[in-house]
Amino acid sequence: QHPKLRMNLDAELLGEQPVANIIARIPGTGNPNEYVMLSAHFDSWDGSSGATDNGTGTIMMMEAMRILKQVLPNPKRTILLGHWAGEEMGLVGSNAYAEDHPEVLQGLQGLFNQDNGTGRITRLGAGGLPNGALHLTEWVKKLPQEFQSQLNYTGAPGGPSGGGSDDASFSCHGVPVFGLGAAGWDYGNLTWHTDRDTYDKLVLDEFKANATMVAMLAYQA
């Protein structure tokens, strides 16, 4: 009942190692140099599999992209999906992409980023950009009532991204970013950056609905 362990451990620092982002796109047919981006990071804290941080966001954005490919195979604007590496190490992947692709920043019409848990999306932020909030308000009005009723969104500009997730890598360039916040499901005190962040914590119906909502917002953008 009271085990004791004695461990003799050794480690070796191997220096910086290369990592890569994963980028997908549906080319635009009318304004191909204007972009709508879906955003989530696929690296995780090493204590576990990172199911809710951020496997859920990664899967959700992939599913939203699948929906968009089916219902909007020839969008007016180019739709991009960014799965970022090195978020947990300081937004490394998304920062590098933003620096390497000024043409995307110049044409970016909106980026939707999600990075917190398995729950339904309950909060939207417009990155502190007044015109972004105006557009987001119009898009939300066109969502089904079931989605509107779960959102706490006033239509006012939100605060600027605080740097905790990949949307900050883009908002610092003055482009419209929209942060998607999820209901807690004990994310903050159970799964976030712990060895308990495993796939059995996923609430599938919640982020199936999230993928549908994100696809609808991206469709309008």
Side-chain angles (χ1 to χ4, degrees), residues 26-38:
I26 303 175
T29 57
N31 300 317
N33 295 324
E34 296 181 356
Y35 304 93
V36 174
M37 177 169 270
L38 308 182

Side-chain angles (χ1 to χ4, degrees), residues 7-29:
M7 306 179 76
N8 184 11
L9 302 178
D10 194 10
E12 181 182 359
L13 296 178
L14 300 177
E16 292 187 357
Q17 300 296 316
V19 295
N21 296 319
I22 300 172
I23 308 297
R25 70 172 57 215
I26 303 175
T29 57

Side-chain angles (χ1 to χ4, degrees), residues 44-45 47-54 56 88 116-119 183-202:
S44 67
W45 205 249
S48 189
S49 57
T52 66
D53 183 22
N54 190 30
T56 45
E88 302 288 6
N116 66 322
T118 190
W185 284 89
D186 292 325
Y187 172 77
N189 57 17
L190 180 66
T191 62
W192 180 60
H193 288 189
T194 75
D195 58 0
R196 298 182 296 272
D197 194 6
T198 49
Y199 72 92
D200 55 300
K201 310 302 190 305
L202 304 187

Side-chain angles (χ1 to χ4, degrees), residues 45-119:
W45 205 249
D46 291 341
S48 189
S49 57
T52 66
D53 183 22
N54 190 30
T56 45
T58 303
I59 295 169
M60 183 184 77
M61 293 306 183
M62 289 177 65
E63 174 64 4
M65 198 72 162
R66 185 195 67 81
I67 294 171
L68 288 165
K69 179 66 175 176
Q70 181 172 327
V71 303
L72 193 65
N74 299 299
K76 180 175 70 173
R77 292 169 169 150
T78 297
I79 301 173
L80 296 174
L81 169 65
H83 283 165
W84 313 116
E87 189 272 350
E88 302 288 6
M89 306 306 164
L91 315 184
V92 176
S94 54
N95 264 315
Y97 182 87
E99 292 175 4
D100 290 347
H101 293 278
E103 78 285 358
V104 172
L105 295 177
Q106 183 176 358
L108 192 60
Q109 306 299 306
L111 176 142
F112 299 90
N113 184 72
Q114 206 276 345
D115 179 21
N116 66 322
T118 190

